[in-house]
Amino acid sequence: MKIKSVFLMAIFSVTANKLRTFLTLLGIVIGVAAVISLMSIGRGTQQAITAQIESLGTDLLFVSPKTGANLTLADADLIASDPRSDFLVAPQISAPASITFRGEETSAVVNGVTGAYGSVRNLEIGSGHFISPAHVKNRNEVVVLGYQVAKDIFDERLPINEYVSINGRRFNVIGVLEEKGGGARFGSEDGQIFVPLTTAYYRLTSERTTQGEISVSTINVQSISNSDLVDKTVEDPKEYISDILRFSHRTVEDDFSVTNLQDVINTLNEATAALVVLLGSIAGISLFVGGIGIMNIMLVSVTERTREIGIRKALGAKKRDILGQFITEAVLISVTGGVIGASFGAFISYSINRLRLFGPDFETVITADIAILALTVAGVIGLFFGIYPAARAAKLNPIDALRYE
Amino acid sequence: MVLNDRLDRLVGETSNMISLQNVTKTYQIGPSLIKALNNVNLSIEAGEMVAVMGPSGSGKSTLMNIVGCLDVPTAGTYLLKDRKVEELSENELADIRSTNIGFIFQTYNLLPRLTALANVELPLLYDGSKNTKTRALEALEKVGIDDRKNHKPSELSGGQQQRVGIARALVKNPSIILADEPTGNLDSKTGIEIMGILQDLNKNSRITVVVVTHEEEIANYNDRVITFRDGSIVSDKPVSDKILISDKYLSNRAANNEN
């Protein structure tokens, strides 16, 4: 039988009972729309996280101490002063702190940093200026506020040259950062404040190593070479930095870890990919239920059309013709439902962005693979749930089928 | 292909179209074994027009199913154009039905949602034929119902529906037309008309016709009457005074139908 006539016959048959076909279709439409919209939300989350991290620059590395061990300012200097490389090094001390301004108290993460921190972490200054080497040297009690912190404390007023109290000490506000976006959820700098590293160490915390050196929480390292004259690009910065520290620490096992930003992205991607799959699977259940609906209606249809099947067989239809006819009908319903559902899902996803349902920074993402996946699954479901009813139709004995009332 | 077809026809004309040798068909219904056909021997030559009679349960329906290749005998041999049918697979049986046999039913068995034309076109769709619409229309013209080609069965009278049924049976130029009580649901005048069409196909298109009927009168429009009882043939004799329906009568009736 020609594909065209099989197809026309299937359209003719499924449109015969419009309400029934519509209701069956609805099951698939809802399933596919749910898969597409939920997966687009998942992908949106994934993209938001990745974008947040990538805004730091992928050539960024973090050196942090293992539990029970220490990293010191001397380690940072060692990496920075390595003659064969040209790393940009920004050590950092982080601790929670409470900030008070005219009796109003708020909490934020306080970071003791050096002047290099701003360029290593791609921070944009909104007003005023960032911590300078002189501040670090003189242990000045100055502070740069993250966008959200400044907004919380000062509302619309300009905070520059105002004084805030951090853990009971007066700090002069010298700058406010640009809004970084992403909210505080992903560890954005918007909710943090910055003071000179030495000030943080001597005035705000009092952690000291046994050797009496200044210990730091993290050493940020940017591995890009800034020298145009000498090529100081390091092939594997992660291993290179590790070697410097191993040599200096003289420990059997590494008492520090170096994390590539790409590693962080990969780890988070794995986690969010699992989220996307989870969301898709939950929605997939409704698609499965839709498939059962197709099977149900096809079984009814086969019983109703027993006589028709008998007639067709008497007129020369082979088993495979009948099989093909009913499978085509099932797949036609599921794929049509898939196409409508995909458009509907895309519309939902678009509406989420348009209405800013999940905040101004969140955008759902529909990629071609989600749409292709949803349509393929819809088709496969039609095929899977159509085969049994179609096989039942094809197996009918023509004599009995012709006699069926 | 064409040569084979011609050879087939030649062979068919010189030998038997249908030949049943010691055909037995049994059905298991619950604990009891029903012998629907008991050692039946029967030959029908190409170009014959035969009536099969008998009370219900006599085995004539089973005979039709076997002759029509919808079923195969439990024992014995059925030769259709010298091909052993009982050795064929389900697909080959479907092929034989498709190319050699046209069925006509008492209840017409048209697909209710298809137009007359689409119903007649249906057998052509299953073998990938070309010009299916033209051929279907030709078949409708042959039985004088082409003016109703776009009507659905529910919009046609019983006689008109049976004409469409005949058109569907002959659209593939079969060697045999099997008619199961073709006049059973029709008034006697319309029944005669239908028999006239079958006679015309038998005489002018050289199609072998087998008509199952329980009406003595309808049997008299055939060349030969075979009577069944309890699964066996009890009589097989030629009709001495076969009634021929003239073309003139047919065209008159067709004209009356219009009004």
Side-chain angles (χ1 to χ4, degrees):
Chain A
M1 210 169 166
K2 284 181 202 153
I3 291 179
K4 190 185 156 202
S5 18
V6 174
F7 195 66
L8 288 177
M9 212 185 272
I11 291 179
F12 189 77
S13 293
V14 299
T15 49
N17 205 325
K18 289 192 179 62
L19 179 65
R20 185 199 280 181
T21 303
F22 170 73
L23 291 174
T24 314
L25 209 65
L26 209 55
I28 298 293
V29 168
I30 292 171
V32 171
V35 167
I36 289 201
S37 49
L38 280 179
M39 283 184 90
S40 77
I41 292 170
R43 279 284 162 83
T45 312
Q46 200 171 17
Q47 208 180 61
I49 294 172
T50 309
Q52 176 70 37
I53 296 166
E54 274 176 352
S55 71
L56 302 171
T58 45
D59 48 359
L60 191 61
L61 296 106
F62 306 107
V63 187
S64 45
K66 289 219 169 125
T67 318
N70 279 303
L71 274 181
T72 64
L73 208 51
D75 290 323
D77 289 339
L78 204 60
I79 298 167
S81 60
D82 179 70
R84 283 166 299 147
S85 59
D86 194 8
F87 292 128
L88 207 52
V89 179
Q92 167 184 9
I93 299 174
S94 298
S98 73
I99 308 154
T100 319
F101 178 70
R102 291 182 189 165
E104 255 187 87
E105 194 176 316
T106 180
S107 61
V109 173
V110 61
N111 295 297
V113 298
T114 59
Y117 188 88
S119 52
V120 169
R121 298 290 292 253
N122 289 347
L123 297 182
E124 301 277 341
I125 200 87
S127 55
H129 43 86
F130 199 66
I131 313 283
S132 73
H135 291 139
V136 178
K137 196 180 167 209
N138 302 328
R139 301 178 196 174
N140 289 129
E141 296 185 335
V142 293
V143 64
V144 175
L145 304 178
Y147 177 83
Q148 193 61 44
V149 179
K151 211 177 163 191
D152 285 350
I153 301 176
F154 293 97
D155 293 324
E156 300 301 316
R157 280 176 300 147
L158 196 66
I160 307 293
N161 281 331
E162 295 283 352
Y163 283 87
V164 294
S165 162
I166 302 170
N167 289 359
R169 285 181 170 270
R170 268 162 60 87
F171 279 76
N172 187 13
V173 179
I174 56 165
V176 177
L177 298 180
E178 276 289 2
E179 184 175 12
K180 189 96 183 186
R185 282 176 294 186
F186 309 127
S188 161
E189 281 88 353
D190 287 353
Q192 302 182 7
I193 61 173
F194 303 87
V195 301
L197 182 79
T198 46
T199 317
Y201 182 73
Y202 289 110
R203 306 272 183 262
L204 297 177
T205 70
S206 52
E207 282 178 52
R208 242 163 255 251
T209 62
T210 43
Q211 285 84 18
E213 288 183 82
I214 298 177
S215 66
V216 296
S217 329
T218 311
I219 302 171
N220 301 280
V221 182
Q222 196 171 16
S223 64
I224 199 153
S225 168
N226 291 322
S227 165
D228 291 335
L229 299 171
V230 193
D231 183 22
K232 290 185 175 178
T233 309
V234 172
E235 277 298 319
D236 185 356
K238 205 169 144 178
E239 200 50 41
Y240 193 89
I241 292 168
S242 298
D243 281 343
I244 295 176
L245 293 177
R246 273 177 206 135
F247 188 75
S248 141
H249 288 197
R250 295 173 196 279
T251 47
V252 183
E253 268 183 58
D254 287 354
D255 56 352
F256 60 88
S257 63
V258 182
T259 318
N260 197 325
L261 198 56
Q262 196 56 51
D263 296 343
V264 178
I265 292 174
N266 290 347
T267 312
L268 279 170
N269 265 349
E270 272 171 40
T272 48
L275 173 82
V276 172
V277 170
L278 179 77
L279 288 175
S281 312
I282 291 170
I285 292 171
S286 62
L287 200 52
F288 191 79
V289 173
I292 294 173
I294 289 186
M295 184 156 168
N296 196 12
I297 224 62
M298 291 309 293
L299 283 173
V300 171
S301 174
V302 168
T303 308
E304 278 180 353
R305 286 153 70 191
T306 300
R307 205 181 170 85
E308 175 191 324
I309 294 160
I311 295 168
R312 287 178 185 275
K313 281 201 161 183
L315 298 180
K318 295 191 175 74
K319 248 182 176 176
R320 61 161 187 267
D321 293 321
I322 303 293
L323 193 74
Q325 183 187 345
F326 281 89
I327 288 180
T328 306
E329 286 177 22
V331 172
L332 183 68
I333 291 178
S334 68
V335 168
T336 308
V339 170
I340 297 173
S343 332
F344 197 56
F347 175 74
I348 293 173
S349 179
Y350 170 78
S351 304
I352 288 172
N353 292 343
R354 200 61 206 271
L355 303 172
R356 299 253 166 259
L357 279 183
F358 297 130
D361 302 321
F362 188 83
E363 288 257 322
T364 58
V365 177
I366 292 188
T367 47
D369 63 325
I370 294 180
I372 291 167
L373 177 82
L375 287 180
T376 311
V377 169
V380 168
I381 275 188
L383 196 65
F384 180 77
F385 287 102
I387 280 178
Y388 175 68
R392 247 168 82 147
K395 255 201 314 220
L396 284 174
N397 175 342
I399 300 167
D400 298 335
L402 274 171
R403 234 184 264 140
Y404 187 84
E405 292 297 332
Chain B
M1 235 3 249
V2 175
L3 186 68
N4 263 346
D5 225 41
R6 276 197 192 147
L7 271 174
D8 239 26
R9 268 171 206 270
L10 275 174
V11 170
E13 271 167 38
T14 50
S15 71
N16 290 327
M17 176 64 75
I18 294 166
S19 171
L20 281 78
Q21 294 155 13
N22 304 318
V23 165
T24 297
K25 180 76 191 177
T26 51
Y27 293 108
Q28 183 86 43
I29 298 176
S32 52
L33 208 62
I34 307 288
K35 227 173 206 180
L37 286 181
N38 188 7
N39 225 16
V40 170
N41 286 288
L42 172 65
S43 292
I44 295 171
E45 279 173 34
E48 266 194 293
M49 184 158 173
V50 180
V52 175
M53 294 195 72
S56 52
S58 60
K60 56 186 198 300
S61 289
T62 308
L63 179 84
M64 289 301 265
N65 289 339
I66 287 176
V67 170
C69 298
L70 288 167
D71 209 346
V72 287
T74 316
T77 301
Y78 168 33
L79 296 171
L80 172 68
K81 285 182 171 177
D82 297 325
R83 269 185 93 178
K84 280 192 178 177
V85 170
E86 66 271 16
E87 289 172 356
L88 301 178
S89 72
E90 210 171 308
N91 273 344
E92 287 169 321
L93 286 176
D95 269 334
I96 292 238
R97 289 198 293 270
S98 169
T99 49
N100 288 299
I101 295 162
F103 288 96
I104 299 170
F105 304 93
Q106 178 176 2
T107 51
Y108 327 125
N109 275 342
L110 302 174
L111 297 189
R113 295 195 313 106
L114 299 183
T115 61
L117 187 69
N119 262 294
V120 176
E121 201 184 351
L122 201 54
L124 298 172
L125 297 181
Y126 284 115
D127 68 349
S129 299
K130 284 182 181 154
N131 308 320
T132 52
K133 285 227 154 50
T134 324
R135 285 176 64 184
L137 195 61
E138 278 167 12
L140 283 172
E141 276 165 9
K142 218 166 181 176
V143 295
I145 192 84
D146 49 310
D147 55 330
R148 300 291 159 100
K149 63 177 186 202
N150 291 325
H151 288 60
K152 294 200 172 148
S154 57
E155 299 158 353
L156 299 172
S157 72
Q160 288 170 330
Q161 286 188 61
Q162 195 57 295
R163 279 167 188 259
V164 176
I166 295 173
R168 184 178 65 183
L170 64 85
V171 72
K172 294 198 64 182
N173 303 316
S175 327
I176 307 168
I177 282 184
L178 294 177
D180 190 0
E181 303 270 10
T183 61
N185 282 12
L186 302 173
D187 63 77
S188 54
K189 273 185 182 167
T190 316
I192 290 167
E193 249 175 70
I194 295 300
M195 289 313 292
I197 295 171
L198 292 178
Q199 279 189 353
D200 170 60
L201 292 174
N202 175 246
K203 194 174 135 203
N204 298 324
S205 305
R206 300 281 299 153
I207 297 176
T208 309
V209 177
V210 180
V211 180
V212 169
T213 182
H214 59 270
E215 292 170 80
E216 202 77 47
E217 201 206 325
I218 293 298
N220 287 333
Y221 293 98
N222 297 281
D223 302 324
R224 176 178 159 198
V225 180
I226 302 165
T227 312
F228 273 78
R229 178 156 293 157
D230 299 331
S232 302
I233 297 174
V234 289
S235 84
D236 183 351
K237 53 192 176 195
V239 177
S240 49
D241 47 353
K242 179 185 177 184
I243 307 170
L244 281 171
I245 301 152
S246 69
D247 296 345
K248 200 180 160 196
Y249 174 80
L250 281 175
S251 51
N252 278 347
R253 282 287 300 168
N256 286 344
N257 255 358
E258 301 292 308
N259 304 328

